[in-house]
Amino acid sequence: MDFWDHMEALRSCLLKAVVAAAVAAVAAFCFKGPLFAVVLAPSTDAFVTYRLLARVTGFKTEFHVALFNPELAQQFVVHMRVALWAGVLAVSPYVVYLLFRFVSPGLYRHERRSAVRAVTGGSVMFLAGVALNYFLIFPLAFRFLGTYQVDPSVKNQISLTSYVDMLLLLCLLMGVVFELPVVAWLLARVGLLRSQPMRSRRRQAVVAVLVAAAVITPTGDAMTLALVALPVYALYEASIGVVRREERRQQRGAA
């Protein structure tokens, strides 16, 4: 294939991805009830995380935070945005498959195996980051911030846009952050990263994690920062293990 044949193949790949995302987004838009039942679930005390915490700790977790809409067309705009995000998330495995099928003919067999592992691991880790945020980080942060009061006379009313923006942004950021072990493995595989410097710089890593958590946390409060920083540092430790395992594999192959 010449250059223009490759461009045509890429265009076809991207067109299929866009069409698939559009179809999934339209389907998500049509199922408004189930879609927002999932999106708004962490805003009520009946959410599974709150019930589990109540069962484990024995403390009551009942709370009520009112969501309101201050603008005329905002609910419709939010509906479209959430449907688009849901459609993209639903077809993301298919999009990754299309991109891999486009580049795989130019890879050697061992490169293709590594690419399959990287793509599979990256997809799983991204979804794991989204799930962790949805079931743990966002619910705890929302409950803390939504019920915090400087005085009982000041009632909290959270706008629908603020709620959805924080949920979607944290899902995206945690999904990206969870790619850290996959990136570390790829860098170790090509010889650009070693485990020993990572182990010797744990203190610097803690500071870097706190700074990164402060940057990516949309609210800036200490509670959300801590909820984000703890799993990020755990990912750093997991990356050390991944890099060390890759080093051992390379040492066995060299022997």
Side-chain angles (χ1 to χ4, degrees), residues 67-68 78 138 158-167 219:
L67 297 179
F68 75 100
V78 168
F138 178 77
I158 313 300
S159 71
L160 177 64
T161 304
S162 174
Y163 174 90
V164 171
D165 285 347
M166 183 177 176
L167 174 61
T219 56

Side-chain angles (χ1 to χ4, degrees), residues 22-241:
V23 171
V26 170
F29 185 88
C30 294
F31 290 94
K32 180 178 67 174
L35 176 64
F36 278 89
V38 173
V39 171
L40 299 178
S43 66
T44 67
D45 54 15
F47 189 55
V48 59
T49 301
Y50 308 132
R51 290 190 284 110
L52 182 60
L53 286 176
R55 182 177 302 177
V56 172
T57 63
F59 293 106
K60 294 182 179 181
T61 58
E62 290 84 358
F63 71 96
H64 175 73
V65 177
L67 297 179
F68 75 100
N69 174 55
E71 299 179 22
L72 179 62
Q74 197 60 39
Q75 291 203 53
F76 181 73
V77 173
V78 168
H79 186 188
M80 290 194 299
R81 287 176 52 207
V82 172
L84 178 61
W85 278 94
V88 171
L89 182 63
V91 302
S92 57
Y94 175 67
V95 174
V96 171
Y97 165 74
L98 289 175
L99 295 175
F100 175 75
R101 193 176 66 173
F102 171 74
V103 301
S104 61
L107 301 177
Y108 293 106
R109 182 174 298 178
H110 68 281
E111 293 174 335
R112 192 176 294 115
R113 288 196 299 266
S114 297
V116 170
R117 293 175 62 185
V119 168
T120 303
S123 300
V124 171
M125 292 301 294
F126 183 87
L127 294 177
V130 172
L132 179 68
N133 175 69
Y134 178 78
F135 286 105
L136 185 62
I137 296 176
F138 178 77
L140 296 182
F142 175 80
R143 186 182 184 278
F144 172 76
L145 297 175
T147 58
Y148 185 84
Q149 293 176 282
V150 295
D151 187 85
S153 63
V154 183
K155 304 298 182 182
N156 287 331
Q157 288 186 322
I158 313 300
S159 71
L160 177 64
T161 304
S162 174
Y163 174 90
V164 171
D165 285 347
M166 183 177 176
L167 174 61
L168 295 180
L169 181 59
L170 277 178
C171 281
L172 176 62
L173 292 176
M174 291 308 299
V176 173
V177 168
F178 263 62
E179 300 296 330
L180 180 60
V182 179
V183 174
W185 174 73
L186 290 173
L187 293 177
R189 193 168 181 84
V190 298
L192 297 179
L193 190 61
R194 291 290 179 262
S195 60
Q196 180 55 40
M198 297 178 69
R199 291 197 300 267
S200 63
R201 295 192 176 106
R202 280 190 169 97
R203 292 182 180 179
Q204 294 91 326
V206 171
V207 176
V209 165
L210 291 175
V211 172
V215 171
I216 68 177
T217 301
T219 56
D221 63 285
M223 175 70 175
T224 309
L225 187 148
L227 289 172
V228 172
L230 288 175
V232 173
Y233 183 75
L235 289 171
Y236 179 80
E237 292 292 338
S239 299
I240 294 177

